[in-house]
Amino acid sequence: MELWSSPLWYASYILVLLGLSGYGMHRLGIVYLYLKHSRKKPEPLRRFEERPLVTVQLPVFNELHVVDRLLDSVAKIDYPKDKLQIQVLDDSTDETTDICRAGVERLKAQGFDAEMIHRTDRTGYKAGALENGTKFAKGEYLFILDADFVPNPDVLEKTIHYFSDDRIGMIQTRWGHLNRTFNLLTRIQAMFLDGHLELEQTARNRSGRFFTFNGTAGIWRKSCIADAGGWEHDTLTEDMDLSYRAQLKGWRFIFLKEVETPAELPVDMDGFKSQQHRWTKGSIQVCKKVLPAIWRSNAPIYAKLEATAHLTSNFAYLLLICLCFLIYPNQHAAPDFGPLTYYIVNIPIFFFASVSVIVFYVTAQKALRPQSWWKEVPYLPLLLALGIGMSINNAKAVIEAIFNHQSGFVRTPKYGIEHKKKRSDWKKSSYKAMKTLTPVVELLFGFFFLFVVVEAALDGRWPASILLLPFPVGFFYTSVSSLARLLPSGREAGDESA
């Protein structure tokens, strides 16, 4: 017990919680900025009398389940055909290429100016495909859509007129969710993304802070991309990288939360993990690349501070992992400073580290679903648990970025699953996310925290037991959901035996 009784354990525990509380305070700051500025809806400087030429860029890599849906939805966009160019930027290595080729011919037969640009060398991955496609883009405005998106017909009519202001370099629309209610994972993902898109992006943009292109469902001015140095592929989040470089050049961006562009969410845990790993690692890479330039810029101090909080926010996963190792010794040998000090220290930390997360996501749901937001409240404990469960996967991504470990752009498998449309065969798809040993580590963490929770309950420390319950739930959820994919389903086994 002497090992645990060192004041260093308790001091480290408090420092980690203070770090997490700092990011919690940042969330509350975002909520405040959102409530203060969300009604400042931007308006176009004027409307174009003649619609400008727009190039729709569709970067595709092995998307056989969704690419036809994408092309059909693009064909329905309400915009003059003679002012629309469609580029399918295909890097595929499977039958997706044939589907794209047939789809482009179908678009041409409908009178569209459509072309397919196929690369056999995936240099730069998505950024490389966009960089290559932009060389052949006829339009000054580039509407980028990932393969799993389904744009609404009026999306260009609601966005293009903002470019009448020559200072505007990019317009981002808010993502919607085609399959939000498909399963528990998609529901929780939707809540995560709603918080980012509805609250963070709106608050940052409308309060004069930096904000970033989300990689898709946005329109760029081609000259803005060129002025910022073009698409670069030295990070896994080329969208965030280009966004900061463009804004540092003085370009203005607009986020239109009122314009929704629906997309498909990953339906399996492995796909979600690979997506989160890429986003987390890429954001730290961008942090290392552009944060010094941000602080050397003439941006207001409040914008620099918010950009710092934004770019470093994923370091919170390292703090969360440290917390996992500090909870047990703190439960057994925390020094007793008396009840007053206990409440002075612990209640503010708990509020900023945990309650702030709940306030953040409830505010987002109330804004998006004012009549039914309360139906999402029961999922909040699971959202907290999933955030904890993802800490190992995402902390690994942070460490890889810190030590410059190179990894390729791993696509997130999508299966063409829409709202309440369950495809029974999606598990049999040849598209699988990359397998790692992370689920095994998560499983071990799950058993450890199950022991910690049970021990606290047996000792009569019920508050600690309840507050720690999201830890085993989160780790078991992320680990078992991944490990279950390794087992063949009954149907698959039957198919093989046949």
Side-chain angles (χ1 to χ4, degrees), residues 375-446:
K375 294 181 180 178
E376 306 300 319
V377 171
Y379 296 97
L380 281 171
L382 293 172
L383 181 146
L384 291 170
L386 180 59
I388 292 169
M390 291 296 293
S391 60
I392 295 173
N393 179 81
N394 292 355
K396 176 175 174 284
V398 173
I399 293 170
E400 287 181 4
I402 291 172
F403 291 102
N404 298 319
H405 174 75
Q406 298 300 311
S407 56
F409 187 103
V410 180
R411 62 176 292 279
T412 306
K414 301 292 173 62
Y415 307 101
I417 299 172
E418 299 184 20
H419 179 63
K420 294 184 178 179
K421 175 188 172 186
K422 300 207 174 189
R423 287 175 54 119
S424 60
D425 60 342
W426 70 269
K427 293 183 180 180
K428 298 164 66 176
S429 171
S430 60
Y431 294 159
K432 306 290 183 184
M434 186 178 295
K435 299 294 190 297
T436 69
L437 291 176
T438 302
V440 177
V441 180
E442 292 166 347
L443 188 65
L444 295 175
F445 270 66

Side-chain angles (χ1 to χ4, degrees), residues 79-292:
Y79 204 75
K81 285 185 180 180
D82 62 332
K83 298 294 185 180
L84 206 60
Q85 179 196 19
I86 301 171
Q87 287 184 330
V88 179
L89 309 177
D90 178 49
D91 286 359
S92 300
T93 57
D94 64 2
E95 55 264 45
T96 302
T97 298
D98 294 330
I99 298 173
C100 288
R101 188 173 289 112
V104 167
E105 292 302 317
R106 192 167 63 246
L107 290 172
K108 287 181 177 178
Q110 297 176 50
F112 287 99
D113 177 5
E115 66 175 337
M116 173 178 160
I117 302 176
H118 179 67
R119 297 194 309 163
T120 55
D121 177 6
R122 289 191 69 209
T123 299
Y125 304 104
K126 180 182 174 181
L130 291 168
E131 181 183 35
N132 183 58
T134 300
K135 297 175 185 176
F136 308 99
K138 300 174 183 177
E140 169 61 7
Y141 307 104
L142 310 175
F143 183 27
I144 300 171
L145 289 167
D146 281 354
D148 54 306
F149 277 70
V150 182
N152 291 315
D154 60 357
V155 62
L156 286 181
E157 193 58 38
K158 286 184 174 180
T159 54
I160 195 65
H161 300 286
Y162 290 88
F163 284 113
S164 58
D165 185 341
D166 292 337
R167 298 172 297 171
I168 303 300
M170 192 277 296
I171 296 167
Q172 175 71 57
T173 65
R174 179 176 56 81
W175 297 359
H177 315 298
L178 292 168
N179 58 335
R180 185 173 68 89
T181 60
F182 180 77
N183 60 22
L184 181 61
L185 179 60
T186 57
R187 275 191 174 273
I188 300 173
Q189 283 181 77
M191 293 180 72
F192 274 124
L193 286 171
D194 288 344
H196 169 62
L197 291 156
E198 175 67 20
L199 262 62
E200 290 185 74
Q201 295 290 69
T202 303
R204 288 182 180 127
N205 182 225
R206 299 186 183 181
S207 66
R209 273 75 172 170
F210 292 100
F211 96 100
T212 60
F213 175 51
N214 289 122
T216 178
I219 311 175
W220 281 87
R221 187 189 296 269
K222 188 163 61 175
S223 56
C224 169
I225 295 175
D227 184 50
W231 294 105
E232 296 179 359
H233 41 81
D234 52 349
T235 74
L236 291 176
T237 47
E238 69 290 325
D239 47 2
M240 179 183 288
D241 173 29
L242 180 59
S243 296
Y244 274 107
R245 285 189 281 118
Q247 289 170 101
L248 287 171
K249 282 279 190 175
W251 290 94
R252 287 180 50 203
F253 290 0
I254 292 178
F255 179 69
L256 294 177
K257 72 184 184 73
E258 297 82 7
V259 182
E260 180 181 277
T261 305
E264 181 180 331
L265 295 162
V267 296
D268 65 299
M269 184 61 71
D270 287 338
F272 178 58
K273 284 180 178 177
S274 68
Q275 183 188 70
Q276 291 297 307
H277 183 276
R278 186 177 74 247
W279 289 354
T280 302
K281 183 173 181 176
S283 71
I284 300 301
Q285 291 172 329
V286 173
C287 175
K288 292 169 63 179
K289 180 178 178 178
V290 306
L291 193 56

